[in-house]
Amino acid sequence: MSRFFSEKLERLVPYTPGEQPKDMNYIKLNTNESPFPPSPVAVELANRETLNYQLYSDPECTPLVEYASEYFNVQRDEILFTNGSDEILNFAFMAFCDKDHPAYFADITYGFYRVFAEINCVPYEMIPLRKDFTVNVEDYVNKKGVIFIANPNAPTGIALPLSDIERIIVSNPQSVVVVDEAYVDFGADSSVSLVNKYDNLLVTQTFSKSRSMAGARLGFGISNKEIIRDLNTVKYSTNPYNVNRVTMAAGLGALKDDDYMRSNCESIVKTRERVKGVLSDMGFEMTPSVTNFLFVKHKKIGGELIYRELKDKGILVRHFNTDPLKDYNRITVGTDKEMDALIDAIGSILEEENENN
Ligand code: PMP
């Protein structure tokens, strides 16, 4: 830390992104990226758009907003695109949280919520999940602040039904409820349909997972036009050109090529369910994930050991070194071939461990 670093950030512990190692070619199952390339339509539109790089991007993301509003069946002023969904989540902290409106989120959830609260110097309360990592909806009733819920949750992969989300929204008329749907396309119900029913709901989604565009950085939020206007006030006060023109073009291509996205999601879901079965036969316990990742714990072998041994064998998974997560690993669902390599590697780790004990 330099002697100039602001006192208010002295204690800030930044978010730790998943490893992006350069030392060898790993099978990367650690950051929930898609194993499939982006849609060819997205690539084609993006390539063409590079020819216009000398111009700033359109701050209103016009063609993308027009297409997306029809796609999601909302008005144009009810949607806002951002630099990844991380940015719109941060905008929500900036726009709606303050000393009288703390942020509420689960103690085990997306790690960035805590960081966004801290960097924006707003108070927050972490609400414990139950022992089985499920959300007790009643813990979220009658809060006076801003509620952040990842649905499905990460790193557990567990989703709440819409009726539970609706209960939280209805019981918090004084609070904005932010539903982070980064993984919704892999098997959960989206709350977008509730946006026109309640004035306190903001739904965020991303192109990073189901649309294979993590490196392009594109996310968005859907809400009523007043909330979107507030978020735009923050956007235009920080970075009006937050979505670059190539990403915007790629995003439009990805939305247009809906069949491609759906068929990739179907394969990931099929692979996920197959691997769930194999891993449980190998002695793993896991949460009922409806995402593109599994959250697994072996009955006999610790999470860190499995993480390290897999890394030695060229396979990266995500290990969190804190209680009660340290027995677990979060494993992104890759292609069938990648998952077969994972299963083989786990098989030999278990064998080695058996021999040693
Ligand atoms: N929400 C959750 C729950 C996530 O896991 C992630 C990705 N790590 C994000 C939001 C942010 O994704 P992005 O900024 O790539 O859209």
Side-chain angles (χ1 to χ4, degrees):
M1 188 191 311
S2 80
R3 63 196 162 92
F4 307 107
F5 197 46
S6 169
E7 225 174 76
K8 68 179 190 291
L9 299 182
E10 258 174 18
R11 274 181 297 280
L12 178 66
V13 182
Y15 177 70
T16 316
E19 296 167 86
Q20 304 286 357
K22 318 272 180 305
D23 58 332
M24 62 180 264
N25 241 347
Y26 287 95
I27 294 182
K28 259 189 106 272
L29 305 176
N30 67 329
T31 43
N32 299 340
E33 289 143 329
S34 173
F36 303 115
S39 143
V41 183
V43 173
E44 159 85 32
L45 292 185
N47 280 343
R48 254 193 268 159
E49 194 56 39
T50 56
L51 299 173
N52 296 321
Y53 253 157
Q54 77 278 20
L55 301 172
Y56 282 112
S57 58
D58 169 9
E60 291 173 25
C61 295
T62 310
L64 189 51
V65 165
E66 278 174 5
Y67 196 89
S69 64
E70 283 187 22
Y71 183 98
F72 289 103
N73 198 19
V74 295
Q75 300 298 311
R76 291 176 193 178
D77 50 9
E78 293 173 339
I79 185 160
L80 169 64
F81 281 90
T82 51
N83 191 308
S85 56
D86 280 339
E87 189 180 47
I88 195 154
L89 290 165
N90 190 27
F91 285 174
F93 276 88
M94 293 165 92
F96 306 118
C97 297
D98 56 35
K99 69 177 182 7
D100 301 319
H101 300 88
Y104 295 95
F105 44 87
D107 61 341
I108 298 169
T109 188
Y110 184 36
F112 233 137
Y113 302 156
R114 177 195 56 76
V115 180
F116 287 143
E118 287 182 3
I119 196 158
N120 290 302
C121 302
V122 296
Y124 60 94
E125 187 185 311
M126 299 201 279
I127 303 174
L129 294 181
R130 294 196 189 99
K131 264 216 151 63
D132 63 357
F133 299 123
T134 56
V135 167
N136 179 7
V137 173
E138 295 315 304
D139 291 344
Y140 291 78
V141 162
N142 278 330
K143 298 287 179 206
K144 298 238 160 18
V146 184
I147 294 169
F148 290 83
I149 291 215
N151 194 41
N153 198 9
T156 64
I158 301 173
L160 284 175
L162 271 198
S163 51
D164 283 352
I165 295 285
E166 197 161 4
R167 162 103 178 108
I168 295 171
I169 299 167
V170 172
S171 66
N172 284 286
Q174 301 308 324
S175 304
V176 175
V177 177
V178 181
V179 182
D180 170 356
E181 296 187 347
Y183 300 100
V184 74
D185 295 324
F186 302 103
D189 290 328
S190 173
S191 309
V192 165
S193 58
L194 300 178
V195 157
N196 285 324
K197 212 165 154 194
Y198 302 104
D199 70 352
N200 59 334
L201 169 64
L202 166 64
V203 181
T204 66
Q205 290 191 14
T206 180
F207 280 53
S208 297
K209 315 294 176 185
S210 58
R211 295 191 174 82
S212 307
M213 282 178 47
R217 313 304 302 126
L218 186 64
F220 62 95
I222 294 181
S223 186
N224 57 72
K225 64 176 195 246
E226 286 79 19
I227 284 185
I228 294 296
R229 194 180 300 134
D230 296 340
L231 294 165
N232 263 314
T233 301
V234 174
K235 164 188 151 138
Y236 281 91
S237 309
T238 48
N239 186 7
Y241 309 110
N242 59 340
V243 179
N244 74 71
R245 51 172 55 246
V246 173
T247 290
M248 217 183 285
L252 183 59
L255 269 192
K256 286 185 170 169
D257 200 358
D258 201 41
D259 289 349
Y260 180 78
M261 182 275 263
R262 304 236 168 253
S263 110
N264 285 346
C265 288
E266 263 171 42
S267 348
I268 288 170
V269 168
K270 212 163 136 208
T271 306
R272 177 187 75 206
E273 295 307 308
R274 175 177 76 87
V275 175
K276 271 185 188 171
V278 179
L279 290 182
S280 66
D281 289 346
M282 294 173 104
F284 282 89
E285 291 169 0
M286 65 202 74
T287 52
S289 170
V290 291
T291 61
N292 66 337
F293 56 84
L294 296 170
F295 192 54
V296 305
K297 160 188 168 178
H298 195 265
K299 285 179 188 144
K300 294 194 183 135
I301 306 173
E304 192 181 351
L305 189 105
I306 293 178
Y307 158 78
R308 270 194 284 110
E309 299 264 322
L310 281 174
K311 192 169 177 188
D312 286 348
K313 293 182 190 315
I315 300 177
L316 268 188
V317 299
R318 183 87 196 246
H319 182 251
F320 301 90
N321 213 0
T322 51
D323 265 333
L325 307 184
K326 64 177 194 298
D327 293 337
Y328 286 80
N329 280 295
R330 193 195 66 193
I331 304 176
T332 305
V333 178
T335 58
D336 274 313
K337 201 168 153 216
E338 288 172 326
M339 300 317 272
D340 287 342
L342 170 88
I343 291 162
D344 283 351
I346 290 179
S348 31
I349 294 168
L350 298 184
E351 242 170 60
E352 283 160 29
E353 284 304 304
N354 258 344
E355 279 164 19
N356 293 342
N357 291 318

